[in-house]
Amino acid sequence: MIKMKARIDIFKRYLPLFGQLVIKDIKLKYRRSFLGYLWSILNPLMIMGIMVLVFSNMFRFSIENYPVYLIIGQTIFNFVSESTSQAMWSITGNAALMKKIYVPKYIFTLSRVSSSCVNMLFALGAMAIVFLFCHARFTWNMLFIPVILVQVYFFALGLGLFLASGTVFFRDIQYIYSAFLTAWMYATPIFYPIDQLPIRLQWLIKHFNPLYAYVTQFRGIVLEGMFPDPRLVFYGFVMAFIMLSAGSVTFLKTQDQFILYI
Amino acid sequence: MDDGFAVRVEHAVVRFNMASERIDNLKEYFVKLIRRELMFKEFLALRDVSLEVKKGEAWGIIGTNGSGKSTLLKLVCGILKPYRGSVRINGSIAPLIELGAGFDGDLTARENIFLNGAVLGYNRAFMQEHFDEIVDFAELWDFLDMPIKNYSSGMAARLGFAIATVVRPDILICDEVLAVGDYAFQQKCERRMGEMRDRGTTLLYVSHSIDSVRCVCDHALWLDKGVVRMAGDVGEVGDAYIRGLQ
C-alpha cells in the first residue's frame, strides 16, 4: 500500500516530463517542413487516398462505403503497429539518459504510446473529412468513439510495455515482432470483410484478435449508425485490461535489471 | 529517528554480469540453453561498501579507473539497485553526472531547458521562474533558439550545469563534470558549488584529480576494486592514496 502511494507520488512528480516528451515527439515530427503541422492531417489523408484507390480498383469486395470501411481499420491498426514498434525501443533508445539520472523508466514507454495516440487523433481529423465526402451518417452514437480509443490505447500501452522490457534482454524481438505485425495485419479484417474467411478462421479471429473487436465497434457506429454490441465492448475492455496487466507486471518485475543490459 | 544523515549506504553489494558473456538475443539464448552453456559469470562492482554522509558534509570519492566510484554514485542516485545491502537517502538529490545527458539535439536550448528540468523532476512553472537565471548563468542569451546539436560541448555543459544547480538540492552529486568548459566557467562553477555548500548542501564528488577533491571536499572515501580502502578526513585519505599509488 505504501509502495503504491510512493509510486503515485513519483508519477506525479514526473508528470511534467511525460508532457514534455509527448510534446517533443510531436514537435520534432514536422519541424522544418514547409506545411508544418498541416502535415499531420495531410499525411494520413494522402495515405488514405492511395489505399482507397488501390483497394477499390484492384481488389473488389462487396462492401458498402468501402473507403470509410478501409480507413477505420487502417487507422486503428496503424496506431497499434506504430505505437508498439516505437515503444519497443523506448527503453533501449533512452539508455544514455537512464544510465545517468534516475527517471521512472515507464515514462518513456508511456510517452511513446501517447504521442502515437496524438497522431491517431490527427488522423481522426483526416478521417472526418473522408466521412464528409463519403456521406457517412453523423449520429449521436459517435460520442462513443472516444471509449473505443481508450480501449485501444490501454491495449497498445500494455503491449508496448511488454515489448519494451523484452527488447532490453533480447534484441531480436524486433525481427520476430515485425513478422508478427505482418501476420496480424492480414489476420485483422482491415481491407476485406470478415465473412469472406472460412468459418473456423473467423471464429479464431473473433476470439483471439482484440483488434477485430475495436475495429468492428468503430465501423458499427460510423457505417450503420448503431451503438456497438455491448458484448464486443466488454470483450474489448477485458482484453485491454489483460494486456495492460501483463505488460505492467512484466515491466515492473524486470525494470531493476534494465540498467545491466542497456 | 536520526535525522543527521544525508546518505547512508550499508553493506552495499552491486553485481554485474560480465559483458563478455552477455547474451542479448533470443537465438543465442536458446542455442546456449540447448548446449547447456548458459552460465552467468558474476562481477562484483562494489563489495560490502558502507558510507555515512552527514548533512552538510562534502565527500570526495577517489580511486583508480574501474574501482567503482561511478557505480557508487549511481547507487546513491537510485539508478542502480543494490544486490545486497541498503541505500537510504534523506533529502532531494540533484545529479550532475555528465552534463546534458537529458538534452535532445534537435530541440533548441530554450526547449531543452524545460525538457531537462522535467528530467530532473521540476515542473514548467518552476523552470519558467528560473529561466532567466539559468540563461544568465550559462551566458547563452544569443544562442537560445539554436538546436543543441550545433552547440559546442562546452556550451552544452554550461547549460547543463546551470540547469542542474538552479534547483536547490539537499544533496548534489558531481561526477567529473568540471573538466569541460573554459577556465572562467570552471571558476564560476566552483564558486556556485561553494555557495551551495555554504547554504548547507551535502556534496558527493567524484574526480581523478586529488587536488580538486582536496579543494572542494572535507571528507574522502578511497575505493579500490570495489572495496573501501579508507574513509575519513580528506587530508589523511588523500595522502594515503597518493602513497598507495607510488
Side-chain angles (χ1 to χ4, degrees):
Chain A
M1 206 56 212
I2 294 167
K3 220 175 161 187
M4 200 61 205
K5 196 183 168 292
R7 280 220 172 105
I8 292 171
D9 282 346
I10 289 179
F11 178 69
K12 276 194 198 141
R13 184 163 171 231
Y14 284 94
L15 210 56
L17 176 62
F18 166 68
Q20 288 284 326
L21 289 171
V22 174
I23 292 169
K24 181 190 92 172
D25 283 343
I26 294 162
K27 261 189 187 165
L28 288 182
K29 196 169 176 199
Y30 297 107
R31 173 156 291 183
R32 278 175 234 301
S33 66
F34 183 58
L35 292 173
Y37 294 113
L38 200 56
W39 273 120
S40 49
I41 303 266
L42 270 186
N43 184 29
L45 207 57
M46 279 156 68
I47 293 174
M48 284 176 192
I50 293 169
M51 294 290 293
V52 167
L53 268 179
V54 170
F55 282 102
S56 34
N57 292 310
M58 281 165 60
F59 308 96
R60 284 168 177 275
F61 301 106
S62 52
I63 299 174
E64 208 186 321
N65 218 342
Y66 187 65
V68 173
Y69 182 91
L70 177 66
I71 277 156
I72 291 172
Q74 182 70 19
T75 308
I76 300 281
F77 183 81
N78 264 0
F79 163 68
V80 172
S81 117
E82 183 195 293
S83 61
T84 50
S85 309
Q86 292 195 353
M88 188 156 72
W89 292 106
S90 57
I91 300 301
T92 35
N94 288 296
L97 182 60
M98 265 176 263
K99 283 181 187 172
K100 309 259 152 61
I101 299 177
Y102 169 78
V103 174
K105 301 172 185 66
Y106 60 82
I107 289 279
F108 295 105
T109 314
L110 185 67
S111 69
R112 273 296 180 191
V113 176
S114 304
S115 54
S116 290
C117 186
V118 174
N119 284 340
M120 174 171 68
L121 295 181
F122 280 124
L124 285 188
M127 222 189 220
I129 297 173
V130 174
F131 290 174
L132 272 177
F133 273 97
C134 298
H135 311 290
R137 266 172 294 167
F138 286 88
T139 60
W140 287 110
N141 283 336
M142 280 191 172
L143 294 177
F144 188 74
I145 290 175
V147 182
I148 304 173
L149 300 185
V150 167
Q151 298 168 44
V152 190
Y153 175 79
F154 283 113
F155 176 78
L157 181 61
L159 186 54
L161 284 168
F162 181 77
L163 289 168
S165 47
T167 311
V168 171
F169 302 104
F170 303 112
R171 300 292 150 92
D172 50 358
I173 285 184
Q174 57 173 310
Y175 305 115
I176 301 169
Y177 188 63
S178 73
F180 177 77
L181 269 180
T182 312
W184 201 2
M185 186 185 80
Y186 287 109
T188 310
I190 295 172
F191 53 83
Y192 59 83
I194 184 138
D195 45 25
Q196 289 226 324
L197 295 175
I199 299 288
R200 277 194 49 199
L201 205 53
Q202 278 189 38
W203 185 87
L204 277 176
I205 288 174
K206 283 179 179 166
H207 285 81
F208 296 104
N209 187 355
L211 285 191
Y212 168 78
Y214 305 138
V215 170
T216 310
Q217 288 177 49
F218 206 136
R219 281 175 181 156
I221 291 174
V222 178
L223 288 170
E224 286 145 47
M226 278 182 353
F227 194 80
D229 185 349
R231 279 175 307 174
L232 214 53
V233 178
F234 178 71
Y235 170 81
F237 269 108
V238 168
M239 284 312 251
F241 180 76
I242 292 173
M243 199 66 237
L244 187 63
S245 325
S248 324
V249 169
T250 319
F251 194 93
L252 294 177
K253 285 250 183 272
T254 53
Q255 65 173 354
D256 288 342
Q257 303 283 319
F258 288 177
I259 190 81
L260 308 176
Y261 290 86
I262 54 180
Chain B
M1 221 192 92
D2 176 17
D3 239 359
F5 78 95
V7 176
R8 182 178 284 156
V9 180
E10 280 171 332
H11 305 290
V13 177
V14 172
R15 190 181 67 161
F16 288 124
N17 286 335
M18 288 289 265
S20 59
E21 279 292 312
R22 190 201 271 171
I23 296 169
D24 68 356
N25 63 66
L26 276 171
K27 188 191 76 198
E28 263 180 59
Y29 183 83
F30 282 115
V31 169
K32 298 243 173 183
L33 190 71
I34 289 162
R35 287 190 179 162
R36 295 171 184 275
E37 279 175 6
L38 260 192
M39 46 179 200
F40 294 101
K41 220 162 143 194
E42 326 187 315
F43 165 72
L44 298 180
L46 290 180
R47 309 161 194 237
D48 199 31
V49 170
S50 297
L51 168 70
E52 171 148 340
V53 178
K54 295 209 168 56
K55 278 190 178 155
E57 288 180 343
W59 279 74
I61 299 166
I62 50 181
T64 49
N65 281 336
S67 55
K69 301 188 296 285
S70 298
T71 307
L72 182 58
L73 286 197
K74 283 181 183 171
L75 204 59
V76 173
C77 289
I79 298 167
L80 280 172
K81 292 261 160 72
Y83 174 59
R84 265 202 295 276
S86 71
V87 178
R88 278 168 60 198
I89 307 296
N90 193 359
S92 66
I93 285 196
L96 269 184
I97 303 177
E98 205 166 304
L99 295 171
F103 287 152
D104 188 295
D106 289 321
L107 293 177
T108 64
R110 189 189 297 276
E111 292 162 334
N112 263 310
I113 288 175
F114 290 105
L115 177 64
N116 209 325
V119 165
L120 296 171
Y122 296 95
N123 61 29
R124 203 176 167 85
F126 180 91
M127 295 309 287
Q128 198 83 56
E129 209 175 291
H130 292 85
F131 187 83
D132 290 354
E133 191 188 332
I134 291 169
V135 186
D136 275 338
F137 188 84
E139 300 166 24
L140 291 170
W141 280 107
D142 300 337
F143 308 100
L144 261 186
D145 292 304
M146 193 163 99
I148 287 264
K149 63 182 172 194
N150 301 337
Y151 271 40
S152 73
S153 55
M155 280 157 81
R158 258 151 64 180
L159 188 59
F161 187 88
I163 295 169
T165 54
V166 75
V167 302
R168 301 277 180 248
D170 301 325
I171 304 161
L172 184 68
I173 293 189
C174 274
D175 189 356
E176 309 253 29
V177 285
L178 302 178
V180 283
D182 52 34
Y183 182 74
F185 190 73
Q186 281 185 25
Q187 294 294 310
K188 213 169 158 182
C189 293
E190 276 176 25
R191 256 205 314 281
R192 182 169 266 201
M193 272 162 74
E195 276 167 34
M196 293 174 88
R197 294 266 302 112
D198 292 341
R199 241 180 280 121
T201 303
T202 310
L203 178 70
L204 282 184
Y205 184 69
V206 160
S207 176
H208 283 298
S209 153
I210 186 78
D211 294 328
S212 84
V213 169
R214 269 191 225 241
C215 168
V216 180
C217 304
D218 46 31
H219 291 72
L221 178 82
W222 174 12
L223 281 176
D224 186 30
K225 297 198 176 86
V227 184
V228 177
R229 281 286 286 272
M230 208 176 158
D233 180 70
V234 69
E236 289 166 29
V237 178
D239 291 341
Y241 176 65
I242 289 183
R243 250 179 284 124
L245 284 184
Q246 281 156 0

